[in-house]
Structures are given as structure tokens and as C-alpha cells.
């Protein structure tokens, strides 16, 4: 297959959705498929390059931040992806388009497909679904939404990264949507012997934005200051200054580490030295860091939202709480921090549960979906 991938985020830009696009693209390329990616440019990144056999073209779209795309930048990406995509489809003769995020990349895929006839497969990640991340998207979805149904209807096949994302999408787009979870390479990610750190280390990885609820971490751990622990907050974003101020106000500067924006490999390095992933998010699709935490054998304390429901077996490898729970997170962490044996058992359970998210299974599912989309398109034309 010749697969054209459209995604406005691809490492090192963006968060989990970009890493999902990368994992799938690399997996398909490793199987002999030709994969080309049109994504957004930022900073000093090279405009073209290769990632283990995957060709990457980074387009000027007005993006100004590595971890966040403004609405203007997303609109800029749609125009750039369509313009370059038209030339690439005609010259390279792509068999299928794989588009990540119905908004913004879906708009470019819809127009490309309409004008060239090339079918596209859509992967929904939650933030591109109305109501998925209301704190981020509710304002612009009010007027963008009327333009989105054609994007979903024209898609040859649709996948959602979690059952929650699928159920939310079905409320607005009653179509055939299947769930293909995000995955990890279990062969490449090996935690070694799972052993407790001393003191136990808690880790958070994500954008410092309202959706990820990073201030909740500081507020919760302030109530557990009598216990031994350290905490690393990986990432960056608009709430970083507020997080730093809360840490200083609590007098916990010696207990927290904020390394800033880190690479995917550095995330895994931090996970290898950690015991507990703490993610009190307000909303999530199927977070890549959650799947990676399973693979690295971390206990997970998280909100009962989105894909975390698929990652955590309550009481077996962690705990799920309401994101607004005043004392639930504190109680769950106290149980783990004060009981090394219980923490070790939960970490071992996470590694066992990770098997269901093996990237090979995920790539299998996408390969089948893309081939099916092509075959259906060919049959439709011949019929």
C-alpha cells in the first residue's frame, strides 16, 4: 500500500495523538508499506526528513508552540495539507489516506478525497469529538460542528482509540465506528525487574493544561507530605507557572521535579525510575502515557474518564476516582505509599495487563482496516 498520513501533530510536536500516529506509521512501514506523512512545522525542525523509513514533510501552518496548536494554526494546517496533499496524491498516486483527528486534518482529507477519489480512514482521538475535551474545544465546536458530519460520513472506515471516544462520537455521528486502542511495543519497552524505589516516586506526564488537571496533583500530595515520596511532573504548558507557585506555597520544592518538555524516550526513562503514574485528568481518549505506564509496570492512580477505564482494573493495578473527588486520590495514594507489598503487586499486574495493547495487534488492525477501505473503494468503482 501507498499510505498518505495526515496529522497536525507528529513527534516532537504535540502529545499522545502524535505518538500514536508515529507508532502506526512506523509499524506499517516495517511491513513493507510506503508511508508519507504531512504534518505541521515548528521552530527549527527540518521541513523534510525520514523516521525509520517513513517520509515526513512538515508544513508551515503558523504553529507557535510545540505542545499546543491554536485554532488559527489548525486552520493553517488544513490549507497547507490540502495544497501539498493534492500534489502528492497526483504525483505519488496514494492508495489510501489515513487521517488522525477529524478536526483539523479530517477537513483536508475530506476535500482531497472529494477531488481525487482516494478513500480515507479516520482515527478519532477524543479532542476531535464534540464534548470530548470541552475545556479546550467547546467554544470553537459551536460553529465548527455543522461542517464536521460530512468528514465523518465520507470516511471509508472509522476507528476510535477507546470505547468512551466511540460512544461519544456515536451521539453526533451515528456511523459504523470500531475501537482500535493505542498500543506500545512490548518488545522494545522492557522495565527489567520491577522493584520499588526508595522513596517511592510518583510521575505525571502531559501538557500543563486544565484538561490534565496538574494542580490537583500538588493539592493532593500536599496532604501526604508526612509520607516519603518524590514526584516528577513531565511536560509544559500554560499552567506551569501556577503549578510552580503552588509547589512553592506548599514548601515542597525539594519533593517535586519539573524537567519541562521531554522526548518520548525520556518519558520512558522517567517511568523506568518511577512507581506510580498519577493522572487526575478531566478528560482523556486512550492516553499513550497510560499504555506506556502499563508496559513499564507502574501502578496507576487516575480519573475515571475516557480510556483510563480500559487501562485500570480497580484494585488490581491501580485505582480510578472521580476527577473532582476531594479525598479519593489522597486515600488511594496513601494506600500505595504506605504499603510497599501492595504497590509491588499492582506494578506487576500492570505489566501483565499491558499484553492487550501490544503495538503488533494495533498495527494488524489498522493494516486490515486500510486494505478493506481500498478494496471497498475499488469494488465500488467497478460496480
Amino acid at each position: 500500500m501507498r499510505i498518505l498520513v495526515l496529522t497536525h501533530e507528529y513527534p516532537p510536536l504535540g502529545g499522545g495523538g502524535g505518538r500514536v500516529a508515529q507508532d502506526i506509521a512506523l509499524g506499517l512501514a516495517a511491513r513493507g508499506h510506503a508511508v508519507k506523512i504531512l504534518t505541521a512545522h515548528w521552530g527549527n525542525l527540518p521541513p523534510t526528513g525520514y523516521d525509520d523509513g517513513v517520509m515526513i514533510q512538515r508544513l508551515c501552518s503558523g504553529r507557535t508552540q510545540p505542545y499546543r496548536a491554536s485554532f488559527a494554526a489548525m486552520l493553517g494546517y488544513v490549507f497547507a495539507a490540502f495544497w501539498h496533499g493534492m500534489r502528492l496524491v497526483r504525483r505519488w498516486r496514494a492508495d489510501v489516506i489515513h487521517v488522525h483527528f477529524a478536526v483539523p486534518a479530517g477537513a483536508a482529507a475530506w476535500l482531497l478525497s472529494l477531488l481525487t477519489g482516494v478513500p480515507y480512514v479516520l482515527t478519532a482521538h477524543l479532542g476531535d469529538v464534540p464534548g470530548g475535551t470541552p475545556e479546550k474545544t467547546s467554544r470553537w465546536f459551536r460553529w465548527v460542528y455543522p461542517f464536521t458530519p460530512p468528514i465523518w460520513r465520507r470516511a471509508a472506515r472509522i476507528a476510535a482509540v477507546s470505547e468512551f471516544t466511540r460512544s461519544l462520537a456515536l451521539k453526533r455521528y451515528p456511523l459504523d465506528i470500531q475501537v482500535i486502542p493505542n498500543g506500545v511495543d512490548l518488545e522494545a519497552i522492557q522495565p527489567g525487574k520491577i522493584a520499588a524505589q526508595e522513596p517511592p516516586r510518583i510521575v505525571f506526564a502531559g501538557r500543563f493544561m486544565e484538561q490534565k488537571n496538574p494542580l490537583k496533583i500538588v493539592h493532593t500530595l500536599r496532604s501526604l507530605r508526612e509520607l516519603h515520596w518524590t514526584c516528577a511532573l513531565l511536560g509544559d504548558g500554560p499552567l506551569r507557572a501556577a503549578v510552580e507557585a503552588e509547589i512553592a506555597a506548599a514548601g515542597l520544592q525539594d519533593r517535586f521535579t519539573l524537567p519541562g518538555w521531554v522526548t518520548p524516550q525520556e518519558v520512558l526513562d522517567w517511568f523506568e525510575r518511577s512507581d506510580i503514574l498519577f493522572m487526575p485528568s478531566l478528560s482523556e481518549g486512550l492516553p499513550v502515557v497510560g499504555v506506556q505506564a502499563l508496559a513499564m509496570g507502574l501502578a496507576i492512580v487516575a480519573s475515571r474518564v475516557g480510556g483510563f477505564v480500559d487501562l485500570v482494573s480497580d484494585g488490581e493495578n491501580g485505582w480510578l476516582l472521580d476527577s473532582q473527588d476531594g479525598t479519593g486520590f489522597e486515600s488511594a495514594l496513601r494506600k500505595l505509599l504506605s504499603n510497599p507489598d501492595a504497590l509491588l503487586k499492582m506494578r506487576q499486574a500492570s505489566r501483565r495487563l499491558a499484553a492487550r495493547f501490544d503495538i503488533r495487534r494495533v498495527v494488524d488492525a489498522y493494516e486490515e482496516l486500510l486494505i478493506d477501505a481500498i478494496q471497498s473503494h475499488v469494488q465500488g468503482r467497478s460496480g
Side-chain angles (χ1 to χ4, degrees), residues 197 201-205 230-235 256-276 296 298 347:
Q197 311 292 320
R201 174 172 284 169
I202 301 163
V203 65
F204 159 90
T230 62
C231 181
L233 303 178
L234 314 181
F256 281 89
T257 302
L258 283 75
W261 198 255
V262 296
T263 67
Q265 182 55 52
E266 288 171 330
V267 171
L268 294 176
D269 293 341
W270 280 98
F271 280 7
E272 189 173 12
R273 304 190 299 271
S274 301
D275 298 279
I276 303 166
M296 293 301 291
L298 301 188
R347 292 192 59 193

Side-chain angles (χ1 to χ4, degrees), residues 219-271:
H219 297 158
T220 300
L221 292 178
R222 181 173 55 191
S223 302
L224 299 171
R225 64 193 311 155
E226 81 280 4
L227 299 176
H228 292 293
W229 54 264
T230 62
C231 181
L233 303 178
L234 314 181
D236 207 339
L239 289 180
R240 177 172 178 137
V243 169
E244 292 175 331
E246 285 294 318
I247 291 171
L252 294 172
Q253 297 95 320
D254 61 331
R255 310 281 288 274
F256 281 89
T257 302
L258 283 75
W261 198 255
V262 296
T263 67
Q265 182 55 52
E266 288 171 330
V267 171
L268 294 176
D269 293 341
W270 280 98
F271 280 7

Side-chain angles (χ1 to χ4, degrees), residues 124-325:
H125 291 265
L126 185 66
D128 51 342
V129 179
T133 55
E135 65 282 351
K136 290 200 304 182
T137 63
S138 60
R139 285 185 296 176
W140 53 262
F141 251 128
R142 291 173 188 168
W143 66 274
V144 167
Y145 170 72
F147 301 95
T148 61
I151 295 171
W152 292 74
R153 286 198 300 266
R154 189 173 179 84
R157 297 292 184 271
I158 305 172
V161 299
S162 69
E163 183 57 46
F164 175 74
T165 302
R166 176 182 180 274
S167 63
L168 198 62
L170 287 174
K171 294 179 180 179
R172 299 296 187 99
Y173 314 107
L175 301 163
D176 183 14
I177 303 174
Q178 70 179 80
V179 175
I180 303 179
N182 301 334
V184 292
D185 187 343
L186 294 180
E187 291 184 353
I189 300 178
Q190 294 287 344
K193 182 180 179 181
I194 297 175
Q197 311 292 320
E198 183 53 46
R201 174 172 284 169
I202 301 163
V203 65
F204 159 90
R207 310 181 198 202
F208 284 42
M209 304 178 72
E210 184 182 353
Q211 174 203 353
K212 299 294 185 178
N213 206 10
L215 288 169
K216 182 74 171 179
I217 297 171
V218 184
H219 297 158
T220 300
L221 292 178
R222 181 173 55 191
S223 302
L224 299 171
R225 64 193 311 155
E226 81 280 4
L227 299 176
H228 292 293
W229 54 264
T230 62
C231 181
L233 303 178
L234 314 181
D236 207 339
L239 289 180
R240 177 172 178 137
V243 169
E244 292 175 331
E246 285 294 318
I247 291 171
L252 294 172
Q253 297 95 320
D254 61 331
R255 310 281 288 274
F256 281 89
T257 302
L258 283 75
W261 198 255
V262 296
T263 67
Q265 182 55 52
E266 288 171 330
V267 171
L268 294 176
D269 293 341
W270 280 98
F271 280 7
E272 189 173 12
R273 304 190 299 271
S274 301
D275 298 279
I276 303 166
L277 178 70
F278 183 17
M279 299 289 291
S281 307
L282 301 180
S283 59
E284 289 284 359
L286 183 67
V288 172
V289 295
V291 182
Q292 291 174 329
L294 282 186
M296 293 301 291
L298 301 188
I300 302 176
V301 176
S303 299
R304 189 178 283 105
V305 296
F308 275 124
V309 176
D310 303 324
L311 298 175
V312 179
S313 179
D314 230 12
E316 181 181 358
N317 71 315
W319 303 97
L320 293 174
L321 293 309
D322 187 280
S323 60
Q324 303 300 328
D325 194 324

